[in-house]
Amino acid sequence: MQDMKTLYTLMAAGFITGAITAEASPVSSAAREAQAEANAYKGAVVNCDMGWAVDSMYPPLKWTLADRLASRDPRTERENALRIMGTGGQKESDEVARRRMERNIRALKEEYIRLGEKMKQGGFKVERYVVGTPMAEYVLPHSSTATRAIRNDSTQRKRRMTSAENIKWEGGHSRLVVLPTTLWYSVPTESGRRLRIERKDFIYAVRDEQVQSSDNRNYRGTVINKWYFIDGNTDVNTLRSYFPTLPLNIARPDTGERPLQ
């Protein structure tokens, strides 16, 4: 029962993830694009097709979860130990690492698909899924010592917050949008009747708008300006490993569920 409750929570969330302080700003047209992109996955959510969650997941988080899943596989325990220690004193080559990660991601997607099938077999049925109006938006420098450029609108320079469309950043940075979600679903009860439930939750939409490194490589594995999604249940410390300037008080909607008549 606890396993099924965990699966329901994953689906309800939308899928199965000098210092500068980033400020939430009134949402921009980019945030509304993120909302539209998230709503494009409605059909997959309604069909309990959890594979989309892996396909649309922010790549660094996908790698983390794929490695975590592989580390629990007893069949690869010895391989993982040798890799961590360095096989024969040699580091893992880029090609070997790429093949290993591709294999791990395939296994992660298969696991998510299996979870979705298990939900359907357990009688979980989605009636409707909606991604609501963006609640908050943050532009996040990749370095805590990054420099913020002057806002386009000089009349707003002294304001604490301004339109997110008028905030520009120098150096590598990402954009994170908080998207409220509502899921209406039903599950079977012991009496044979179906219990209808409304669940309020949220997801993060993330895109890298500029990535910088000393050798001009994008080590995040992302497509610039492409929206990816992260489960709202993802530990905030995990998020900060990718976005070190993420503020402590992220604006997030109230979450929870209630039975419907």
Side-chain angles (χ1 to χ4, degrees), residues 1 4-14 45-48 119 122-130 181-189 194-201 256-261:
M1 185 67 181
M4 290 304 297
K5 183 177 180 181
T6 300
L7 298 182
Y8 296 160
T9 299
L10 285 170
M11 178 58 82
V45 174
V46 170
N47 292 326
C48 293
M119 293 171 69
F124 184 95
K125 184 177 180 180
V126 176
E127 298 177 1
R128 189 181 175 205
Y129 175 70
V130 172
T181 63
T182 305
L183 183 79
W184 292 268
Y185 68 96
S186 64
V187 293
T189 64
R194 296 192 65 84
L195 175 64
R196 297 181 64 242
I197 298 171
E198 177 189 79
R199 181 171 180 83
K200 299 284 189 179
D201 217 310
E257 58 184 31
R258 65 185 182 91
L260 301 174
Q261 296 296 330

Side-chain angles (χ1 to χ4, degrees), residues 35 123 136 166 175 252 257 260:
Q35 178 189 8
N166 293 328
R175 188 179 300 266
R252 288 173 287 192
E257 58 184 31
L260 301 174

Side-chain angles (χ1 to χ4, degrees), residues 157-222:
R157 291 182 189 177
K158 294 183 180 180
R159 296 185 185 180
R160 183 172 181 272
M161 294 193 298
T162 187
S163 169
E165 291 178 302
N166 293 328
I167 297 178
K168 305 297 179 183
W169 295 86
E170 296 175 347
H173 63 274
S174 303
R175 188 179 300 266
L176 181 146
V177 180
V178 181
L179 295 172
T181 63
T182 305
L183 183 79
W184 292 268
Y185 68 96
S186 64
V187 293
T189 64
E190 293 181 355
S191 67
R193 301 181 63 183
R194 296 192 65 84
L195 175 64
R196 297 181 64 242
I197 298 171
E198 177 189 79
R199 181 171 180 83
K200 299 284 189 179
D201 217 310
F202 67 96
I203 57 176
Y204 300 108
V206 178
R207 77 178 186 186
D208 292 335
E209 299 183 342
Q210 187 173 343
V211 177
Q212 290 186 334
S213 65
S214 58
D215 57 3
N216 294 318
R217 295 177 63 185
N218 180 0
Y219 289 98
R220 292 177 178 243
T222 55

Side-chain angles (χ1 to χ4, degrees), residues 104-168:
N104 290 350
I105 289 174
R106 284 196 299 270
L108 180 68
K109 185 172 180 177
E110 290 169 0
E111 177 70 4
Y112 271 59
I113 291 174
R114 184 189 68 80
L115 292 176
E117 290 299 321
K118 187 174 182 179
M119 293 171 69
K120 288 193 288 188
Q121 292 169 8
F124 184 95
K125 184 177 180 180
V126 176
E127 298 177 1
R128 189 181 175 205
Y129 175 70
V130 172
V131 179
T133 302
M135 179 178 184
E137 180 177 12
Y138 302 88
V139 180
L140 305 169
H142 295 165
S143 168
S144 61
T145 58
T147 302
R148 180 189 294 189
I150 295 175
R151 290 165 178 153
N152 288 350
D153 187 350
S154 60
T155 63
Q156 298 189 36
R157 291 182 189 177
K158 294 183 180 180
R159 296 185 185 180
R160 183 172 181 272
M161 294 193 298
T162 187
S163 169
E165 291 178 302
N166 293 328
I167 297 178
K168 305 297 179 183

